[in-house]
Coordinates of all heavy atoms in Angstrom, one line a residue:
M21 N 0.8 -1.2 0.0 CA 0.0 0.0 0.0 C 0.9 1.2 0.0 O 2.0 1.2 0.6 CB -0.9 0.0 1.2 CG -2.0 1.0 1.2 SD -2.4 1.7 2.8 CE -2.8 0.2 3.7
A22 N 0.4 2.3 -0.7 CA 1.1 3.5 -0.7 C 1.2 4.2 0.7 O 0.3 4.1 1.5 CB 0.5 4.5 -1.7
E23 N 2.4 4.8 1.0 CA 2.5 5.4 2.3 C 2.1 6.9 2.3 O 2.4 7.6 1.3 CB 4.0 5.2 2.8 CG 4.2 3.9 3.3 CD 5.7 3.7 3.6 OE1 6.3 4.7 4.0 OE2 6.1 2.5 3.6
R24 N 1.7 7.3 3.5 CA 1.3 8.8 3.6 C 2.5 9.6 3.5 O 3.6 9.3 4.0 CB 0.8 8.9 5.1 CG -0.4 9.8 5.2 CD -1.4 9.5 6.3 NE -0.8 8.8 7.4 CZ -0.5 9.5 8.6 NH1 -0.5 10.8 8.6 NH2 0.0 8.8 9.6
L25 N 2.4 10.7 2.7 CA 3.5 11.7 2.6 C 3.6 12.5 3.8 O 2.6 12.9 4.5 CB 3.2 12.6 1.4 CG 3.1 11.9 0.0 CD1 2.8 13.0 -1.1 CD2 4.3 11.2 -0.3
S26 N 4.9 12.9 4.2 CA 5.1 13.9 5.3 C 4.6 15.2 4.9 O 4.3 15.5 3.7 CB 6.6 13.9 5.6 OG 7.2 14.6 4.5
A27 N 4.4 16.1 5.9 CA 3.9 17.5 5.6 C 4.9 18.1 4.6 O 4.4 18.8 3.6 CB 3.8 18.3 6.8
D28 N 6.1 17.9 4.7 CA 7.1 18.6 3.8 C 6.9 18.0 2.4 O 7.0 18.8 1.5 CB 8.5 18.3 4.3 CG 8.9 19.3 5.3 OD1 8.2 20.3 5.6 OD2 10.1 19.2 5.9
A29 N 6.9 16.6 2.3 CA 6.8 16.0 1.0 C 5.5 16.5 0.3 O 5.5 16.7 -0.9 CB 6.8 14.5 1.2
R30 N 4.5 16.6 1.1 CA 3.1 17.0 0.6 C 3.3 18.5 0.0 O 2.8 18.7 -1.1 CB 2.1 17.0 1.8 CG 0.8 16.5 1.3 CD 0.0 16.1 2.6 NE 0.1 17.1 3.6 CZ 0.2 16.9 4.9 NH1 0.4 15.6 5.4 NH2 0.2 17.8 5.9
K31 N 3.8 19.3 0.8 CA 4.0 20.7 0.3 C 4.8 20.8 -1.0 O 4.5 21.5 -1.9 CB 4.6 21.6 1.4 CG 3.6 21.8 2.5 CD 3.9 23.0 3.4 CE 2.8 23.3 4.3 NZ 2.7 22.4 5.5
Q32 N 5.9 20.0 -1.0 CA 6.8 20.0 -2.2 C 6.0 19.5 -3.4 O 6.1 20.1 -4.5 CB 8.0 19.2 -1.9 CG 9.0 19.4 -3.1 CD 10.3 18.6 -2.8 OE1 10.6 18.3 -1.7 NE2 11.1 18.4 -3.9
A33 N 5.3 18.4 -3.2 CA 4.5 17.9 -4.3 C 3.4 18.9 -4.8 O 3.3 19.0 -6.1 CB 3.9 16.5 -3.9
L34 N 2.8 19.5 -3.9 CA 1.8 20.5 -4.3 C 2.4 21.6 -5.1 O 1.7 22.2 -6.0 CB 1.1 21.1 -3.0 CG 0.1 20.1 -2.4 CD1 -0.4 20.7 -1.0 CD2 -1.1 19.8 -3.2
G35 N 3.6 21.9 -4.9 CA 4.2 22.9 -5.7 C 4.3 22.7 -7.1 O 4.4 23.6 -8.0
G36 N 4.2 21.3 -7.5 CA 4.3 20.9 -8.9 C 2.9 20.7 -9.6 O 2.9 20.4 -10.7
I37 N 1.8 20.9 -8.8 CA 0.5 20.8 -9.4 C -0.4 22.0 -9.1 O -1.1 22.0 -8.1 CB -0.2 19.4 -8.9 CG1 0.1 19.2 -7.4 CG2 0.3 18.2 -9.7 CD1 -0.7 18.0 -6.8
P38 N -0.4 23.0 -10.1 CA -1.1 24.1 -9.9 C -2.5 24.1 -9.5 O -3.2 23.2 -10.1 CB -0.9 24.8 -11.2 CG 0.3 24.3 -11.9 CD 0.4 22.9 -11.3
G39 N -3.0 24.9 -8.5 CA -4.4 24.9 -8.2 C -4.8 23.9 -7.0 O -5.8 24.1 -6.4
W40 N -3.9 23.0 -6.7 CA -4.3 22.0 -5.7 C -3.7 22.5 -4.3 O -2.6 23.1 -4.2 CB -3.6 20.7 -5.9 CG -4.3 20.0 -7.0 CD1 -3.9 20.2 -8.4 CD2 -5.4 19.0 -7.1 NE1 -4.7 19.4 -9.1 CE2 -5.7 18.7 -8.4 CE3 -6.2 18.5 -6.0 CZ2 -6.7 17.8 -8.7 CZ3 -7.2 17.7 -6.3 CH2 -7.4 17.3 -7.7
A41 N -4.5 22.3 -3.3 CA -4.1 22.8 -1.9 C -4.5 21.7 -0.9 O -5.4 20.9 -1.1 CB -4.8 24.1 -1.6
E42 N -3.9 21.8 0.2 CA -4.3 20.9 1.3 C -5.7 21.2 1.8 O -6.1 22.4 1.9 CB -3.4 21.1 2.5 CG -2.0 20.5 2.3 CD -1.1 20.5 3.5 OE1 -1.6 21.1 4.6 OE2 0.0 20.0 3.4
V43 N -6.5 20.2 2.1 CA -7.8 20.3 2.7 C -7.9 19.3 3.9 O -7.1 18.4 4.0 CB -8.9 20.1 1.7 CG1 -8.9 21.1 0.5 CG2 -8.9 18.7 1.1
Q44 N -8.9 19.5 4.7 CA -9.2 18.5 5.8 C -8.0 18.3 6.6 O -7.6 17.1 6.8 CB -9.8 17.2 5.2 CG -11.1 17.5 4.5 CD -11.6 16.3 3.6 OE1 -10.8 15.3 3.4 NE2 -12.8 16.3 3.3
D45 N -7.3 19.4 7.0 CA -6.2 19.2 8.0 C -5.0 18.5 7.5 O -4.3 17.8 8.1 CB -6.7 18.6 9.2 CG -6.6 19.4 10.5 OD1 -6.0 20.5 10.3 OD2 -6.9 19.0 11.6
G46 N -4.8 18.6 6.0 CA -3.7 17.8 5.4 C -4.0 16.4 5.2 O -3.2 15.7 4.6
K47 N -5.2 16.0 5.4 CA -5.6 14.6 5.1 C -5.9 14.4 3.7 O -6.0 13.2 3.2 CB -6.8 14.1 5.9 CG -6.5 14.1 7.5 CD -6.4 12.6 7.9 CE -6.4 12.4 9.4 NZ -5.1 13.1 10.0
G48 N -6.2 15.5 2.9 CA -6.5 15.4 1.6 C -5.9 16.6 0.8 O -5.5 17.6 1.4
I49 N -6.1 16.5 -0.6 CA -5.8 17.7 -1.4 C -7.0 18.0 -2.2 O -7.8 17.1 -2.6 CB -4.6 17.5 -2.2 CG1 -4.7 16.2 -3.2 CG2 -3.3 17.4 -1.4 CD1 -3.5 16.1 -4.1
G50 N -7.3 19.3 -2.5 CA -8.5 19.6 -3.3 C -8.2 20.7 -4.4 O -7.2 21.4 -4.2
K51 N -9.1 20.7 -5.3 CA -9.0 21.7 -6.3 C -10.4 21.9 -6.9 O -11.2 21.0 -7.0 CB -8.1 21.4 -7.5 CG -8.0 22.4 -8.6 CD -6.9 22.1 -9.6 CE -6.9 23.1 -10.8 NZ -5.8 22.9 -11.7
T52 N -10.8 23.1 -7.2 CA -12.1 23.4 -7.8 C -11.8 23.7 -9.3 O -11.0 24.8 -9.6 CB -12.8 24.6 -7.2 OG1 -13.1 24.2 -5.8 CG2 -14.1 24.9 -7.9
F53 N -12.2 23.0 -10.2 CA -12.1 23.2 -11.7 C -13.3 23.9 -12.2 O -14.4 23.5 -11.9 CB -11.9 21.9 -12.4 CG -10.6 21.1 -12.1 CD1 -10.6 20.2 -11.1 CD2 -9.5 21.4 -12.9 CE1 -9.4 19.5 -10.8 CE2 -8.4 20.6 -12.7 CZ -8.3 19.6 -11.6
V54 N -13.1 25.0 -13.0 CA -14.2 25.6 -13.6 C -14.0 25.6 -15.1 O -13.0 26.0 -15.7 CB -14.3 27.1 -13.1 CG1 -15.5 27.8 -13.7 CG2 -14.4 27.2 -11.6
F55 N -15.1 25.0 -15.7 CA -15.0 24.9 -17.2 C -15.9 25.9 -17.9 O -16.6 26.7 -17.3 CB -15.4 23.4 -17.6 CG -14.4 22.4 -17.0 CD1 -14.6 21.9 -15.8 CD2 -13.2 22.1 -17.7 CE1 -13.6 21.0 -15.2 CE2 -12.3 21.3 -17.2 CZ -12.5 20.6 -16.0
K56 N -16.0 25.8 -19.3 CA -16.8 26.7 -20.0 C -18.3 26.4 -19.8 O -19.2 27.3 -19.8 CB -16.5 26.6 -21.5 CG -17.1 27.6 -22.4 CD -16.7 27.3 -23.9 CE -17.3 26.0 -24.3 NZ -17.4 25.7 -25.7
D57 N -18.7 25.2 -19.7 CA -20.1 24.8 -19.6 C -20.1 23.4 -19.1 O -19.1 22.7 -18.8 CB -20.8 24.9 -20.9 CG -20.1 24.2 -22.1 OD1 -19.3 23.2 -21.8 OD2 -20.2 24.5 -23.2
F58 N -21.4 22.8 -19.0 CA -21.5 21.5 -18.3 C -20.9 20.4 -19.2 O -20.3 19.5 -18.7 CB -23.0 21.2 -18.2 CG -23.3 19.8 -17.7 CD1 -23.0 19.5 -16.4 CD2 -23.7 18.8 -18.6 CE1 -23.3 18.2 -15.9 CE2 -24.0 17.5 -18.1 CZ -23.7 17.2 -16.8
N59 N -20.9 20.7 -20.5 CA -20.4 19.7 -21.5 C -18.9 19.5 -21.2 O -18.4 18.3 -21.2 CB -20.7 20.1 -22.9 CG -20.5 19.0 -23.9 OD1 -21.0 18.0 -23.7 ND2 -19.8 19.3 -25.0
E60 N -18.2 20.6 -21.0 CA -16.7 20.5 -20.8 C -16.5 19.8 -19.4 O -15.6 19.0 -19.2 CB -16.1 21.9 -20.9 CG -15.7 22.2 -22.3 CD -14.7 23.3 -22.4 OE1 -14.2 23.9 -21.3 OE2 -14.3 23.7 -23.5
A61 N -17.3 20.3 -18.5 CA -17.1 19.7 -17.0 C -17.3 18.2 -17.0 O -16.5 17.5 -16.4 CB -18.1 20.5 -16.1
F62 N -18.4 17.8 -17.7 CA -18.7 16.4 -17.7 C -17.7 15.6 -18.6 O -17.3 14.4 -18.3 CB -20.1 16.1 -18.1 CG -20.6 14.8 -17.6 CD1 -20.9 14.5 -16.3 CD2 -20.7 13.7 -18.5 CE1 -21.3 13.3 -15.8 CE2 -21.2 12.4 -18.1 CZ -21.4 12.3 -16.7
G63 N -17.1 16.2 -19.7 CA -16.1 15.6 -20.4 C -14.9 15.3 -19.6 O -14.3 14.3 -19.6
F64 N -14.5 16.3 -18.8 CA -13.4 16.2 -17.9 C -13.7 15.0 -16.9 O -12.8 14.2 -16.7 CB -13.2 17.5 -17.1 CG -12.4 17.4 -15.8 CD1 -11.1 17.3 -16.0 CD2 -13.0 17.3 -14.6 CE1 -10.2 17.2 -14.8 CE2 -12.2 17.2 -13.4 CZ -10.8 17.1 -13.6
M65 N -14.8 15.0 -16.4 CA -15.1 13.9 -15.3 C -15.1 12.5 -16.0 O -14.6 11.6 -15.4 CB -16.5 14.1 -14.7 CG -16.6 15.4 -13.9 SD -18.2 15.8 -13.2 CE -18.2 14.7 -11.8
T66 N -15.6 12.5 -17.2 CA -15.6 11.2 -17.9 C -14.1 10.7 -18.1 O -13.8 9.5 -17.8 CB -16.3 11.3 -19.2 OG1 -17.6 11.8 -19.0 CG2 -16.4 10.0 -19.9
R67 N -13.3 11.6 -18.6 CA -11.9 11.2 -18.8 C -11.2 10.9 -17.5 O -10.5 9.9 -17.4 CB -11.1 12.3 -19.6 CG -11.6 12.4 -21.0 CD -10.9 13.7 -21.6 NE -11.2 13.8 -23.0 CZ -11.7 14.9 -23.6 NH1 -12.0 16.0 -22.9 NH2 -12.0 14.9 -24.9
A68 N -11.4 11.7 -16.6 CA -10.8 11.5 -15.2 C -11.2 10.1 -14.6 O -10.4 9.4 -14.0 CB -11.0 12.7 -14.3
A69 N -12.6 9.9 -14.8 CA -13.0 8.6 -14.2 C -12.3 7.4 -14.8 O -12.1 6.4 -14.1 CB -14.6 8.5 -14.4
L70 N -12.1 7.4 -16.1 CA -11.4 6.3 -16.7 C -10.0 6.1 -16.2 O -9.5 5.0 -15.9 CB -11.4 6.5 -18.2 CG -12.7 6.5 -18.9 CD1 -12.6 6.7 -20.4 CD2 -13.4 5.1 -18.7
V71 N -9.3 7.2 -16.0 CA -7.9 7.2 -15.4 C -8.0 6.6 -14.0 O -7.2 5.8 -13.5 CB -7.2 8.6 -15.4 CG1 -5.9 8.6 -14.7 CG2 -7.0 9.0 -16.9
A72 N -9.0 7.2 -13.2 CA -9.1 6.8 -11.8 C -9.3 5.3 -11.7 O -8.8 4.6 -10.8 CB -10.2 7.6 -11.1
E73 N -10.3 4.8 -12.5 CA -10.6 3.4 -12.4 C -9.3 2.5 -12.8 O -9.1 1.5 -12.2 CB -11.7 3.1 -13.4 CG -12.2 1.7 -13.4 CD -12.7 1.2 -12.1 OE1 -12.9 2.0 -11.2 OE2 -12.9 -0.1 -12.0
K74 N -8.6 3.0 -13.8 CA -7.4 2.2 -14.1 C -6.3 2.2 -13.0 O -5.7 1.2 -12.8 CB -6.7 2.9 -15.4 CG -5.8 2.0 -16.1 CD -5.3 2.6 -17.5 CE -6.3 2.2 -18.6 NZ -5.9 2.7 -19.9
M75 N -6.3 3.4 -12.3 CA -5.4 3.4 -11.1 C -6.0 2.7 -9.9 O -5.2 2.6 -8.8 CB -5.1 4.9 -10.7 CG -4.4 5.7 -11.7 SD -4.3 7.5 -11.2 CE -3.3 7.4 -9.7
D76 N -7.2 2.4 -9.9 CA -7.9 1.9 -8.7 C -7.8 3.0 -7.6 O -7.5 2.6 -6.4 CB -7.4 0.5 -8.3 CG -8.3 -0.1 -7.2 OD1 -9.4 0.3 -7.1 OD2 -7.8 -0.9 -6.4
H77 N -7.9 4.2 -7.9 CA -7.8 5.3 -7.0 C -8.9 6.3 -7.4 O -8.8 6.9 -8.5 CB -6.4 5.9 -7.0 CG -6.1 6.7 -5.8 ND1 -6.1 6.1 -4.5 CD2 -6.0 8.0 -5.6 CE1 -5.9 7.1 -3.7 NE2 -5.8 8.3 -4.3
H78 N -9.8 6.5 -6.5 CA -11.0 7.2 -6.9 C -11.2 8.6 -6.2 O -11.0 8.7 -5.0 CB -12.2 6.3 -6.6 CG -12.1 5.0 -7.3 ND1 -11.5 3.8 -6.7 CD2 -12.4 4.6 -8.6 CE1 -11.5 2.8 -7.6 NE2 -12.0 3.3 -8.7
P79 N -11.7 9.6 -7.0 CA -11.9 10.9 -6.4 C -13.2 10.9 -5.6 O -14.2 10.3 -5.9 CB -12.0 11.8 -7.6 CG -12.5 10.9 -8.7 CD -12.0 9.5 -8.4
E80 N -13.2 11.9 -4.7 CA -14.4 12.4 -4.1 C -14.7 13.7 -4.8 O -13.8 14.6 -4.8 CB -14.1 12.6 -2.6 CG -15.2 13.1 -1.8 CD -14.8 13.3 -0.3 OE1 -13.9 12.6 0.2 OE2 -15.3 14.2 0.3
W81 N -15.8 13.8 -5.5 CA -16.0 15.0 -6.3 C -17.5 15.4 -6.3 O -18.4 14.6 -6.1 CB -15.4 14.9 -7.6 CG -15.7 13.7 -8.5 CD1 -16.7 12.7 -8.2 CD2 -15.1 13.3 -9.7 NE1 -16.7 11.8 -9.2 CE2 -15.7 12.1 -10.2 CE3 -14.1 13.9 -10.5 CZ2 -15.4 11.6 -11.4 CZ3 -13.8 13.2 -11.7 CH2 -14.4 12.1 -12.1
R82 N -17.7 16.6 -6.7 CA -19.1 17.2 -6.8 C -19.1 18.1 -8.0 O -18.3 19.0 -8.2 CB -19.3 18.0 -5.4 CG -20.6 18.7 -5.4 CD -20.8 19.2 -4.0 NE -22.1 19.8 -3.8 CZ -22.4 21.1 -4.0 NH1 -21.5 22.0 -4.3 NH2 -23.7 21.5 -3.9
N83 N -20.1 18.0 -8.8 CA -20.3 18.8 -10.0 C -21.6 19.6 -9.9 O -22.6 19.1 -9.5 CB -20.4 17.9 -11.2 CG -21.0 18.5 -12.4 OD1 -22.0 18.1 -13.0 ND2 -20.3 19.6 -12.9
V84 N -21.4 20.9 -10.1 CA -22.6 21.8 -10.3 C -22.4 22.5 -11.5 O -21.4 23.3 -11.6 CB -22.8 22.8 -9.1 CG1 -24.0 23.6 -9.3 CG2 -22.9 22.0 -7.7
Y85 N -23.2 22.2 -12.6 CA -23.1 22.9 -13.9 C -21.7 22.8 -14.4 O -21.3 21.8 -14.9 CB -23.7 24.3 -13.8 CG -23.6 25.1 -15.1 CD1 -23.8 24.5 -16.3 CD2 -23.3 26.5 -15.1 CE1 -23.7 25.2 -17.5 CE2 -23.2 27.2 -16.3 CZ -23.4 26.6 -17.5 OH -23.3 27.3 -18.6
K86 N -20.9 23.9 -14.5 CA -19.6 23.8 -15.1 C -18.5 23.8 -14.0 O -17.3 23.9 -14.4 CB -19.4 25.1 -15.9 CG -19.5 26.4 -15.2 CD -19.4 27.6 -16.2 CE -19.3 28.9 -15.4 NZ -19.0 30.0 -16.3
T87 N -18.8 23.6 -12.8 CA -17.8 23.5 -11.8 C -17.7 22.1 -11.2 O -18.7 21.4 -11.1 CB -18.2 24.5 -10.6 OG1 -18.3 25.8 -11.1 CG2 -17.2 24.5 -9.5
V88 N -16.4 21.7 -11.0 CA -16.2 20.3 -10.5 C -15.3 20.5 -9.3 O -14.1 21.0 -9.4 CB -15.5 19.3 -11.5 CG1 -15.3 18.0 -10.9 CG2 -16.4 19.3 -12.7
E89 N -15.7 20.2 -8.1 CA -14.9 20.3 -6.9 C -14.3 18.9 -6.6 O -15.2 17.9 -6.5 CB -15.7 20.7 -5.7 CG -16.3 22.1 -5.7 CD -17.3 22.4 -4.6 OE1 -17.3 21.6 -3.6 OE2 -18.0 23.4 -4.7
V90 N -13.1 18.8 -6.4 CA -12.4 17.5 -6.3 C -11.6 17.4 -4.9 O -10.9 18.4 -4.6 CB -11.4 17.2 -7.4 CG1 -10.9 15.8 -7.2 CG2 -12.1 17.4 -8.8
I91 N -11.8 16.3 -4.2 CA -10.9 16.1 -3.0 C -10.3 14.7 -3.3 O -11.0 13.7 -3.6 CB -11.7 16.1 -1.7 CG1 -12.2 17.5 -1.4 CG2 -10.7 15.6 -0.6 CD1 -13.0 17.6 -0.2
L92 N -9.0 14.6 -3.1 CA -8.3 13.4 -3.2 C -7.7 13.0 -1.9 O -7.0 13.8 -1.3 CB -7.2 13.4 -4.4 CG -7.7 13.8 -5.7 CD1 -6.5 13.9 -6.7 CD2 -8.7 12.8 -6.3
S93 N -7.8 11.7 -1.5 CA -7.1 11.3 -0.3 C -7.0 9.8 -0.5 O -7.8 9.1 -1.2 CB -7.7 11.7 1.0 OG -8.7 10.8 1.4
T94 N -6.1 9.2 0.3 CA -6.0 7.7 0.3 C -6.5 7.2 1.6 O -5.9 7.3 2.6 CB -4.5 7.3 0.1 OG1 -4.0 7.9 -1.1 CG2 -4.4 5.7 -0.1
H95 N -7.8 6.7 1.5 CA -8.5 6.4 2.8 C -7.7 5.2 3.5 O -7.6 5.2 4.7 CB -9.9 6.0 2.4 CG -10.6 6.9 1.5 ND1 -11.1 6.7 0.2 CD2 -10.8 8.3 1.7 CE1 -11.6 7.8 -0.3 NE2 -11.5 8.7 0.6
D96 N -7.2 4.3 2.7 CA -6.5 3.2 3.3 C -5.4 3.6 4.1 O -5.0 3.0 5.1 CB -5.9 2.2 2.2 CG -7.1 1.6 1.3 OD1 -8.3 1.8 1.7 OD2 -6.8 1.0 0.3
A97 N -4.7 4.7 3.7 CA -3.5 5.2 4.4 C -3.8 6.3 5.3 O -2.9 6.8 6.1 CB -2.4 5.6 3.4
G98 N -5.0 6.9 5.4 CA -5.4 7.9 6.3 C -4.8 9.3 5.9 O -4.6 10.1 6.8
G99 N -4.5 9.5 4.7 CA -3.9 10.8 4.3 C -3.6 10.8 2.8 O -4.2 10.1 2.0
V100 N -2.6 11.7 2.5 CA -2.2 11.9 1.2 C -1.0 11.1 0.8 O 0.0 11.0 1.5 CB -1.9 13.4 0.9 CG1 -1.3 13.6 -0.5 CG2 -3.1 14.3 1.2
T101 N -1.1 10.3 -0.3 CA 0.0 9.5 -0.8 C 0.4 9.9 -2.2 O -0.3 10.7 -2.8 CB -0.4 8.0 -0.8 OG1 -1.4 7.8 -1.8 CG2 -0.9 7.5 0.5
K102 N 1.4 9.3 -2.8 CA 1.8 9.6 -4.1 C 0.7 9.2 -5.2 O 0.6 9.8 -6.2 CB 3.1 9.0 -4.6 CG 3.1 7.5 -4.8 CD 4.6 7.0 -4.8 CE 4.9 6.2 -6.1 NZ 4.3 5.1 -6.4
L103 N -0.3 8.4 -4.8 CA -1.4 8.1 -5.7 C -2.2 9.4 -5.9 O -2.7 9.6 -7.0 CB -2.2 7.0 -5.1 CG -1.7 5.5 -5.1 CD1 -2.5 4.6 -4.4 CD2 -1.5 5.1 -6.6
D104 N -2.4 10.1 -4.8 CA -3.2 11.3 -4.9 C -2.5 12.4 -5.8 O -3.1 13.0 -6.7 CB -3.4 12.0 -3.5 CG -4.2 10.9 -2.7 OD1 -5.3 10.5 -3.1 OD2 -3.7 10.5 -1.6
I105 N -1.2 12.4 -5.6 CA -0.4 13.4 -6.4 C -0.5 13.0 -7.9 O -0.6 13.8 -8.7 CB 1.1 13.4 -5.9 CG1 1.2 13.8 -4.4 CG2 2.0 14.4 -6.7 CD1 0.5 15.1 -4.1
E106 N -0.3 11.6 -8.1 CA -0.4 11.1 -9.5 C -1.8 11.4 -10.2 O -1.9 11.9 -11.3 CB -0.1 9.7 -9.6 CG 1.3 9.3 -9.4 CD 1.6 7.9 -9.2 OE1 0.7 7.0 -9.6 OE2 2.7 7.6 -8.7
L107 N -2.9 11.2 -9.4 CA -4.2 11.4 -9.9 C -4.4 13.0 -10.2 O -5.0 13.4 -11.2 CB -5.3 10.8 -9.1 CG -6.7 10.9 -9.6 CD1 -6.8 10.3 -11.0 CD2 -7.7 10.1 -8.7
A108 N -4.0 13.8 -9.2 CA -4.1 15.2 -9.4 C -3.3 15.7 -10.6 O -3.8 16.7 -11.3 CB -3.5 16.0 -8.1
T109 N -2.2 15.2 -10.8 CA -1.3 15.6 -12.0 C -2.0 15.2 -13.3 O -2.1 16.0 -14.2 CB 0.1 14.9 -12.0 OG1 0.7 15.2 -10.7 CG2 0.9 15.2 -13.1
A110 N -2.7 13.9 -13.3 CA -3.4 13.6 -14.4 C -4.6 14.5 -14.7 O -4.9 14.8 -15.8 CB -3.8 12.1 -14.2
M111 N -5.3 14.8 -13.6 CA -6.5 15.6 -13.7 C -6.1 17.0 -14.2 O -6.9 17.6 -15.1 CB -7.2 15.8 -12.4 CG -8.0 14.6 -12.0 SD -8.9 14.9 -10.5 CE -10.0 13.5 -10.5
N112 N -5.0 17.6 -13.8 CA -4.6 18.9 -14.4 C -4.3 18.8 -15.9 O -4.7 19.6 -16.7 CB -3.3 19.4 -13.8 CG -3.6 20.1 -12.4 OD1 -4.7 20.1 -11.9 ND2 -2.6 20.8 -11.9
A113 N -3.7 17.6 -16.3 CA -3.4 17.5 -17.8 C -4.7 17.3 -18.5 O -4.9 17.8 -19.6 CB -2.6 16.2 -17.9
I114 N -5.7 16.5 -18.0 CA -7.0 16.3 -18.6 C -7.8 17.6 -18.8 O -8.4 17.9 -19.8 CB -7.8 15.2 -17.9 CG1 -7.2 13.8 -18.0 CG2 -9.2 15.2 -18.4 CD1 -7.7 12.8 -16.9
A115 N -7.7 18.4 -17.7 CA -8.4 19.6 -17.7 C -7.9 20.5 -18.9 O -8.7 21.2 -19.5 CB -8.3 20.4 -16.4
K116 N -6.6 20.5 -19.0 CA -5.9 21.3 -20.1 C -6.5 20.8 -21.5 O -6.8 21.6 -22.3 CB -4.4 21.1 -20.1 CG -3.7 22.4 -19.6 CD -2.2 22.2 -19.7 CE -1.6 23.3 -18.7 NZ -0.2 22.9 -18.5
L117 N -6.5 19.6 -21.7 CA -7.0 19.0 -22.9 C -8.5 19.4 -23.1 O -8.9 19.7 -24.2 CB -6.9 17.4 -22.9 CG -5.5 16.8 -23.0 CD1 -5.7 15.3 -23.0 CD2 -4.8 17.2 -24.3
T118 N -9.2 19.2 -22.1 CA -10.7 19.4 -22.1 C -11.0 20.8 -22.5 O -11.9 21.1 -23.2 CB -11.3 19.1 -20.7 OG1 -10.9 17.8 -20.4 CG2 -12.8 19.1 -20.8
Q119 N -10.2 21.7 -22.0 CA -10.4 23.1 -22.2 C -9.9 23.6 -23.5 O -10.2 24.8 -23.9 CB -9.8 23.9 -21.0 CG -10.6 23.8 -19.7 CD -9.8 24.1 -18.5 OE1 -8.6 24.1 -18.5 NE2 -10.4 24.4 -17.4
G120 N -9.2 22.7 -24.3 CA -8.8 23.0 -25.6 C -7.6 24.0 -25.7 O -7.5 25.0 -25.1
Ligands
H2B8 C1 -10.1 -2.2 -2.4 C2 -9.7 -1.0 -3.2 O1 -8.5 -1.2 -3.8 C3 -9.5 0.2 -2.2 O2 -10.7 0.3 -1.5 C4 -9.1 1.4 -3.0 C5 -10.1 1.9 -4.1 N1 -10.0 3.3 -4.4 C6 -9.5 4.2 -3.5 N2 -9.6 5.5 -3.8 C7 -9.2 6.4 -2.9 N3 -9.1 7.6 -3.2 N4 -8.6 6.0 -1.7 C8 -8.5 4.7 -1.4 O3 -8.0 4.4 -0.3 C9 -9.0 3.7 -2.3 N5 -8.9 2.4 -2.0

C-alpha cells in the first residue's frame, strides 16, 4: 500500500500541481475546476473517471453545472500518498485537454 506523505513532501509535491491545496487538515488535497459549460465539465469527469478506475484510485467530487470540486485522499493510508499526487497531476493534464 502507498505510504502517507510527510507534511514537507506534501508541500513540495503540491508545488508541482497548480491549483491544488491541502484540505481537511492535510488529510487530503483539493481543487475546484471551472469549465466553459456543463459539457466540458462532464467531459473532464468522464476522462478522469477512466484514469481513476485504471489506477484503482477514486476521487471524491461534486459537480454543479460547469464547476467540479475534487478532493483526493488515500483512505486506506489515512492521508495523502503519491497516488493522490499522480491522480491530481493527471487531472490537471486532462483539464488542459478538455479546455482546448
Ligand atoms: C479495495 C480497493 O483497492 C481500495 O478500496 C481502494 C479503491 N479506491 C480508493 N480510492 C481512494 N481515493 N482511496 C483509497 O484508499 C482507495 N482504495
Side-chain angles (χ1 to χ4, degrees):
M21 193 215 297
E23 283 178 25
R24 220 150 29 96
L25 299 179
S26 68
D28 277 355
R30 222 161 47 221
K31 288 201 174 75
Q32 187 175 342
L34 284 172
I37 39 174
W40 290 87
E42 286 186 0
V43 296
Q44 297 171 343
D45 242 357
K47 293 256 189 295
I49 57 174
K51 178 171 178 174
T52 299
F53 292 90
V54 181
F55 297 92
K56 189 183 60 164
D57 53 22
F58 177 76
N59 197 44
E60 277 200 357
F62 201 72
F64 164 79
M65 293 178 82
T66 304
R67 291 176 173 120
L70 295 175
V71 171
E73 182 61 10
K74 201 171 265 181
M75 290 176 67
D76 190 25
H77 196 67
H78 304 94
E80 181 182 327
W81 54 6
R82 175 170 189 266
N83 162 238
V84 178
Y85 178 38
K86 62 181 183 173
T87 299
V88 183
E89 294 170 17
V90 184
I91 293 175
L92 301 178
S93 87
T94 305
H95 311 117
D96 298 353
V100 177
T101 66
K102 75 193 235 300
L103 287 173
D104 300 301
I105 303 303
E106 281 168 21
L107 186 53
T109 302
M111 283 185 166
N112 275 13
I114 292 165
K116 251 186 202 164
L117 288 178
T118 308
Q119 286 158 337

